[in-house]
């Protein structure tokens, strides 16, 4: 793939990813708000019973557009209304009010009360503010911007800029407060925001898909090429992928491998890591696009195949240089999506001629689960233990594969020799990983074998491709062809015999030898 097409493809993927998030996020926001709100437009949350033996319960400060200079149009656009509905439990009138945070602190100075510092789901967590005096009646102060009292008071307030706090008390200020409280809110901006998110999402998806189409479409002379990517030409240490064995991975251990350079390779590879983060985001998006194409056409788009294979090749080279691929070379990996056959780590995947439309829906998650369990041990640090009582955990960073690579690296540092047996094992594990990745990325329908093929080269002596069973139509065609061949041979034989007979008939009879002349001599 040309560099310009690669750039366009990456830009399309990067645009498509947030656009899809905006599209689904806006839809979820709009539908969720429409379903959850009541007849008055409020989305309400019921808290567990609020109860204290002190004189009051208040919320922590709630900041909303704290800058007093915020434009009025911003506040008008957001248009947030708050509703607090309380129901007294003990039969005494309760009071709910909202005031500025500073005024609430002054009002409750010296009064013992509880502060709600966090709400876990619907359960509030309190923090006690010490005090000794009994609170005064909240009705005797004019600090409230909104308030209500009674057995079932309901407060409604249009939120304004500033720092605010809500207070729950007995109407007479006596200690011992208990009430069931529902808190609700509504905003006139939610529906416009949801519609805007959907609109920008649709535009972004359209632009992203357009860029992807431009980058992946086949034009000109290239469109006349066969849709199959030729597999690599087999050579010494070079993989050759086939339809029967679609993933081929090799690695070559450097003869002069530095005993200490592996300590800093991960720092040297940081530019590659940054690029690969972007490429893998694009890889995920492109795999989704390819899955949709396979679902409708049964074919993996060739341009997307080239790009995704390039990302896997790039990842394998960097991983072999500075990661759990083995640290088996000191040669810096090239910034390339191409094959790079001269590099010590090479990956080849055969282009799939035809793919199952049905498997695309299940193979990447359901069918691959057994392999995911194995990869979790190899790569995910799944080995470890946890002590819940003390809250600590010990695991293996990088998984089992990372541990093997670390052992090999330490051995190299001490002995100046990379253990060949560990090299073969590590490359075998990576071969397993990339087979599973190719299967999960929908590139092949060949189920990855549960087989550890160790060594730097692809194993020889793999089982041959199965002989296809002839169909009845093919058998009839073969029999017809054999019959025609037999008849033709019989006809040719009869013709040959006839021509021989005619030639013998046309020849003159043999002349007997003349014995008289010999007698006269």
């Amino acid at each position: 793939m040309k560099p310009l097409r690669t750039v366009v493809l990456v830009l399309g993927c990067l645009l498509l990813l947030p656009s899809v998030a905006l599209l689904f996020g806006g839809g979820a926001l709009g539908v969720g708000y429409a379903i959850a709100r009541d007849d008055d437009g409020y989305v309400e949350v019921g808290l567990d019973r609020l109860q204290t033996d002190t004189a009051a319960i208040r919320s922590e400060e709630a900041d909303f557009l704290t800058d007093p200079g915020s434009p009025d149009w911003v506040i008008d656009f957001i248009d947030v209304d708050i509703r607090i509905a309380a129901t007294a439990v003990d039969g005494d009138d309760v009071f709910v009010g909202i005031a500025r945070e500073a005024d609430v602190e002054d009002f409750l100075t010296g009064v013992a009360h509880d502060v709600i510092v966090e709400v876990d789901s619907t359960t509030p967590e309190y923090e006690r503010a010490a005090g000794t005096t009994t609170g005064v009646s909240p009705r005797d102060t004019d600090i409230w911007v909104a308030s209500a009292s009674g057995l079932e008071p309901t407060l409604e307030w249009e939120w304004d800029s500033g720092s605010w706090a809500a207070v729950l008390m007995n109407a007479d200020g006596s200690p011992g407060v208990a009430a069931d409280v529902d808190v609700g809110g509504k905003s006139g901006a939610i529906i416009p925001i949801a519609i805007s998110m959907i609109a920008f999402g649709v535009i972004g998806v359209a632009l992203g898909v357009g860029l992807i189409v431009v980058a992946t479409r086949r034009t000109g002379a290239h469109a006349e090429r066969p849709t199959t990517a030729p597999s690599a030409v087999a050579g010494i240490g070079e993989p050759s992928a086939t339809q029967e064995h679609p993933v081929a991975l090799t690695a070559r251990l450097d003869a002069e491998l530095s005993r200490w350079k592996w300590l800093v390779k991960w720092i040297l590879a940081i530019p590659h890591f940054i690029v690969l983060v972007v490429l893998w985001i694009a890889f995920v998006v492109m795999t989704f696009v390819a899955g949709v194409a396979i679902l409708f056409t049964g074919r993996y788009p060739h341009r997307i195949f080239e790009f995704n294979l390039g990302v896997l090749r790039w990842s394998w080279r960097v991983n072999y240089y500075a990661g759990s691929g083995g640290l088996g070379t000191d040669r810096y990996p090239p910034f390339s999506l191409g094959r790079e056959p001269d590099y010590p780590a090479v990956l080849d995947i055969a282009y799939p001629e035809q793919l199952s439309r049905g498997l695309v829906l299940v193979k990447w998650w359901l069918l691959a689960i057994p392999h995911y369990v194995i990869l979790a041990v190899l790569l995910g640090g799944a080995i470890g233990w946890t002590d819940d009582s003390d809250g600590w955990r010990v695991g293996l960073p990088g998984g089992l594969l990372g541990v093997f690579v670390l052992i090999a690296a330490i051995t190299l540092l001490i002995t100046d020799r990379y253990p060949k047996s560990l090299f073969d094992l590590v490359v075998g594990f990576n071969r397993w990983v990339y087979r599973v990745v190719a299967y999960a990325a929908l590139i092949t329908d060949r189920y990855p074998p549960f087989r550890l093929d160790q060594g730097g080269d692809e194993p020889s002596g793999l089982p041959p491709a199965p002989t296809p069973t002839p169909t009845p139509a093919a058998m009839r065609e073969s029999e017809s062809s054999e019959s025609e061949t037999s008849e033709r041979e019989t006809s040719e034989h009869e013709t040959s015999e006839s021509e021989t007979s005619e030639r013998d008939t046309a020849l003159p009879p043999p002349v007997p030898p003349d014995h008289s002349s010999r007698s006269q001599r």
Side-chain angles (χ1 to χ4, degrees):
M1 180 177 287
K2 295 181 179 179
L4 180 59
R5 285 182 177 268
T6 301
V7 172
V8 173
L9 185 61
V10 171
L11 289 177
C13 295
L14 293 179
L15 180 61
L16 188 62
L17 194 63
S19 299
V20 171
L22 277 176
L23 183 61
F24 284 98
L29 177 63
V31 173
Y33 180 70
I35 294 176
R37 64 181 181 177
D38 59 17
D39 294 338
D40 296 327
Y42 286 92
V43 177
E44 205 164 51
V45 176
L47 303 178
D48 292 344
R49 179 166 296 176
L50 302 184
Q51 190 167 357
T52 180
D53 56 359
T54 64
I57 299 174
R58 74 172 178 89
S59 67
E60 277 196 313
E61 63 175 307
D63 294 332
F64 185 72
L65 298 175
T66 54
D67 180 10
S70 298
D72 292 338
W73 67 266
V74 175
I75 300 175
D76 294 339
F77 173 76
I78 296 176
D79 189 23
V80 176
D81 291 331
I82 299 298
R83 183 175 69 186
I84 302 177
T87 302
V89 174
D90 298 331
D92 296 329
D93 288 350
V94 293
F95 172 91
V96 290
I98 294 177
R100 293 194 178 275
E101 172 69 13
D103 294 336
V104 171
E105 288 182 353
D106 292 340
F107 174 70
L108 295 176
T109 298
V111 178
H113 61 278
D114 286 341
V115 181
I116 299 176
V117 294
E118 186 178 354
V119 177
D120 184 6
S121 183
T122 60
T123 303
E125 296 182 7
Y126 302 97
E127 185 177 281
R128 179 64 56 89
T132 56
T133 60
T134 302
V136 298
S137 172
R139 296 171 176 171
D140 296 337
T141 180
D142 58 356
I143 63 173
W144 314 109
V145 294
S147 63
S149 61
L151 293 177
E152 295 182 354
T154 299
L155 172 153
E156 292 185 0
W157 172 62
E158 184 177 355
W159 207 333
D160 201 356
S161 62
S163 299
W164 308 93
V167 177
L168 174 67
M169 301 179 66
N170 286 328
D172 58 1
S174 60
V177 183
D180 295 323
V181 176
D182 294 329
V183 179
K186 69 177 180 179
S187 172
I190 291 181
I191 297 300
I193 289 176
I195 294 174
S196 300
M197 291 174 64
I198 294 173
F200 283 113
V202 169
I203 295 173
V205 167
L207 291 176
V209 171
L211 291 175
I212 292 172
V213 169
V214 169
T216 58
R217 67 190 178 97
R218 305 168 64 82
T219 58
H222 187 74
E224 300 176 359
R225 298 178 185 176
T227 56
T228 56
S231 59
V233 178
I236 298 176
E238 296 183 12
S240 178
T242 65
Q243 295 299 325
E244 295 300 322
H245 309 290
V247 181
L249 178 146
T250 61
R252 185 176 67 250
L253 188 63
D254 283 2
E256 300 289 336
L257 195 60
S258 170
R259 64 194 304 171
W260 60 267
K261 197 172 183 179
W262 63 271
L263 294 169
V264 297
K265 284 180 179 178
W266 65 273
I267 299 177
L268 301 177
I270 286 178
H272 282 283
F273 296 149
I274 295 174
V275 175
L276 284 175
V277 168
V278 178
L279 290 178
W280 271 97
I281 293 175
F283 180 94
V284 173
V285 177
M286 296 307 297
T287 300
F288 173 78
V289 175
V292 175
I294 296 168
L295 189 62
F296 287 97
T297 67
R299 300 185 67 86
Y300 202 109
H302 195 277
R303 288 290 188 183
I304 297 180
F305 169 81
E306 290 178 347
F307 175 77
N308 283 357
L309 175 57
V311 175
L312 293 177
R313 283 171 169 166
W314 195 329
S315 301
W316 169 228
R317 291 192 294 262
V318 175
N319 199 29
Y320 185 66
Y321 172 78
S324 58
L327 305 174
T329 182
D330 291 337
R331 181 178 169 185
Y332 198 73
F335 289 83
S336 169
L337 292 170
R339 184 169 181 273
E340 305 295 337
D342 294 334
Y343 195 77
V346 181
L347 175 67
D348 185 38
I349 301 178
Y351 179 79
E353 296 287 351
Q354 192 72 24
L355 292 170
S356 169
R357 301 183 185 184
L359 283 179
V360 74
L361 299 175
V362 295
K363 66 181 181 181
W364 60 274
W365 68 277
L366 180 60
L367 300 182
I369 286 177
H371 283 285
Y372 291 158
V373 174
I374 296 173
L375 295 190
V377 177
L378 290 179
L379 304 175
I383 299 177
W385 56 91
T386 302
D387 187 337
D388 292 332
S389 61
D390 294 335
W392 53 267
R393 175 180 176 83
V394 176
L396 298 180
L400 190 61
L401 185 56
V403 172
F404 287 147
V405 174
L406 181 61
I407 294 173
I410 294 175
T411 304
L412 174 65
L413 181 65
I414 297 174
T415 67
D416 197 21
R417 186 179 62 86
Y418 196 115
K420 183 63 167 59
S421 58
L422 275 179
F423 169 78
D424 292 341
L425 183 63
V426 168
V427 175
F429 279 145
N430 279 278
R431 187 172 286 120
W432 193 322
V433 169
Y434 280 89
R435 287 172 178 172
V436 175
V437 171
Y439 182 77
L442 313 178
I443 298 177
T444 177
D445 284 343
R446 286 280 173 180
Y447 195 75
F450 289 92
R451 185 179 66 238
L452 182 59
D453 294 324
Q454 302 185 48
D457 294 331
E458 277 290 328
S460 59
L462 291 174
T467 303
T469 303
T471 62
M475 294 176 65
R476 288 194 299 270
E477 183 179 352
S478 176
E479 292 174 356
S480 175
S481 176
E482 291 177 358
S483 175
E484 293 176 359
T485 301
S486 176
E487 292 176 358
R488 184 169 59 253
E489 290 177 352
T490 302
S491 176
E492 291 175 355
H493 180 67
E494 292 176 352
T495 302
S496 176
E497 290 181 349
S498 175
E499 291 176 353
T500 302
S501 176
E502 292 176 357
R503 186 169 58 251
D504 292 343
T505 304
L507 290 175
V511 179
D514 186 2
H515 298 287
S516 58
S517 61
R518 182 181 304 171
S519 190
Q520 291 175 359
R521 287 196 301 267

